[in-house]
Amino acid sequence: GALVVYTEGPAKITNVTFENIELHQSDKYPINVTVGDNSKAQISDLTFKNIMIGGKNKVRICNRSTVGGAINGISFENCLRDEKEVTSSRVLNVLVSNVNESNIQVVWNQP
């Protein structure tokens, strides 16, 4: 992936913003947020703002933890997917695994 937040340990990752980035092509997931199998990591409050995502590969948000790891508070603000305004998870083309979709917010507020 091009923008990756991935952990296998007990990390606490919070308040991270990726902003004003153009992703033209990715061999796998252009954006990949993953908590590994044996990780107790807590990932929260990640913001992807003004990101232009090209290509057909899915955005991945995946919690593989079997020991209490969690992903909460992921937001996509004013992003474009293949030049279309990202106004929903469907337009974003997101693959979600073991994460409550209510923890993923998609916002388009540009005029």
Side-chain angles (χ1 to χ4, degrees):
L3 301 179
V4 178
V5 177
Y6 180 95
T7 183
E8 288 284 346
K12 182 176 181 180
I13 301 168
T14 186
N15 296 321
V16 176
T17 299
F18 295 91
E19 187 171 7
N20 300 326
I21 300 170
E22 292 182 25
L23 306 174
H24 295 281
Q25 179 179 331
S26 178
D27 289 337
K28 193 76 171 171
Y29 307 107
I31 296 173
N32 183 359
V33 178
T34 300
V35 172
D37 297 340
N38 295 311
S39 176
K40 293 183 180 181
Q42 303 296 307
I43 297 177
S44 63
D45 301 320
L46 296 183
T47 301
F48 297 89
K49 185 174 182 178
N50 301 325
I51 308 292
M52 295 174 52
I53 306 166
K56 302 297 180 202
N57 292 335
K58 293 183 178 286
V59 167
R60 179 184 192 205
I61 301 174
C62 178
N63 180 6
R64 297 188 332 219
S65 175
T66 58
V67 293
I71 298 173
N72 294 294
I74 309 295
S75 64
F76 294 87
E77 299 177 15
N78 299 326
C79 295
L80 295 172
R81 183 74 201 235
D82 294 321
E83 300 183 19
K84 294 179 187 170
E85 298 170 357
V86 174
T87 56
S88 69
S89 293
R90 184 185 55 76
V91 175
L92 183 60
N93 194 15
V94 65
L95 172 64
V96 179
S97 299
N98 298 321
V99 175
N100 188 324
E101 291 198 36
S102 68
N103 286 313
I104 302 167
Q105 181 179 14
V106 176
V107 177
W108 182 264
N109 58 18
Q110 289 190 343

